[in-house]
Amino acid sequence: MEKVLVWNNPSKALFSAIAVVGLAFALCVMVYGMESIAPGVHDAFHDFRHTIGMPCH
Amino acid sequence: MISKDGLAADLAAGVLWGWLSLFVNALTGVFTPEAGFVHDLGSFGLAGVINAFVAGGLLSLFMGHLPGRSVMLKAVTVSVILWLVLRAGAMMLSHIDPERYHVATWESLQGLLLAVLMGVLIGFGRRLVAGRRVPAHG
């Protein structure tokens, strides 16, 4: 079975780490509604943000 | 590490969790949606996928370091910790800019319960994948 997140292989571990960190950053932008980083993200995920209990206006 | 099937299970759990969040919120009525149903179906699904990818990645990373033997319990722990970290960041933003970020207690409580639900779904998906990997005997 192909492993897609492998921590003991340097190149795959780097790719995996970049993917997780990149999407973790995207998650932060989304849950905090940072318009300055991604225009439109505030309105696009406004209802989701409230639903999961993140403070909003 | 995680297999392709495990990653697919995490992402499927994420979409399901996003849609269940929409459904749970409609049931509880804690927050009245401002966007349309179709828009929310897309945004909640996408947000669920991103959330599940991060939670699943962290689960794979810290699997060996988390207490307990149950994958389900570990997934719930990671999911709740991720939510608490995000919530702590939101509290800081609320402290810096209270006009912009309002804290709502019932929404927070719902969010915490949804974080538990996400952990359950990821744990269930991982269990399913692990079960499929066990060769049949007899």
Side-chain angles (χ1 to χ4, degrees):
Chain A
M1 187 170 290
E2 188 185 347
K3 306 292 182 189
V4 286
L5 286 180
V6 182
W7 309 115
N8 55 4
N9 177 327
S11 60
K12 278 197 172 180
L14 181 65
F15 170 75
S16 305
I18 290 171
V20 173
V21 170
L23 280 184
F25 181 69
L27 183 62
C28 290
V29 170
M30 203 173 67
V31 298
Y32 300 140
M34 296 172 182
E35 280 284 314
S36 54
I37 293 172
V41 75
H42 182 90
D43 289 339
F45 295 99
H46 181 260
D47 290 355
F48 174 75
R49 198 158 46 250
H50 276 280
T51 299
I52 64 163
M54 295 298 155
C56 195
H57 59 75
Chain B
M1 71 186 128
I2 185 172
S3 68
K4 219 172 200 174
D5 288 349
L7 183 62
D10 285 355
L11 300 186
V15 175
L16 185 60
W17 175 75
W19 290 344
L20 278 175
S21 301
L22 189 59
F23 181 67
V24 167
N25 185 62
L27 275 183
T28 61
V30 164
F31 174 71
T32 308
E34 292 174 11
F37 177 72
V38 175
H39 173 274
D40 276 351
L41 210 57
S43 66
F44 276 64
L46 179 61
V49 165
I50 294 174
N51 219 327
F53 184 89
V54 175
L58 292 173
L59 176 65
S60 299
L61 195 58
F62 297 111
M63 183 70 95
H65 306 284
L66 290 164
R69 294 184 64 182
S70 162
V71 177
M72 185 80 76
L73 186 66
K74 289 181 180 187
V76 169
T77 305
V78 167
S79 182
V80 168
I81 288 174
L82 178 63
W83 183 84
L84 286 172
V85 168
L86 288 170
R87 189 67 181 72
M91 276 185 76
M92 279 200 298
L93 289 175
S94 181
H95 187 71
I96 294 165
D97 188 359
E99 288 289 316
R100 164 74 176 76
Y101 295 96
H102 288 291
V103 176
T105 308
W106 284 108
E107 288 176 11
S108 298
L109 188 60
Q110 176 173 272
L112 181 60
L113 293 175
L114 288 174
V116 173
L117 178 65
M118 159 158 279
V120 169
L121 291 175
I122 289 177
F124 186 69
R126 293 278 178 108
R127 266 192 192 172
L128 274 182
V129 169
R132 275 179 49 200
R133 237 183 268 154
V134 177
H137 294 290

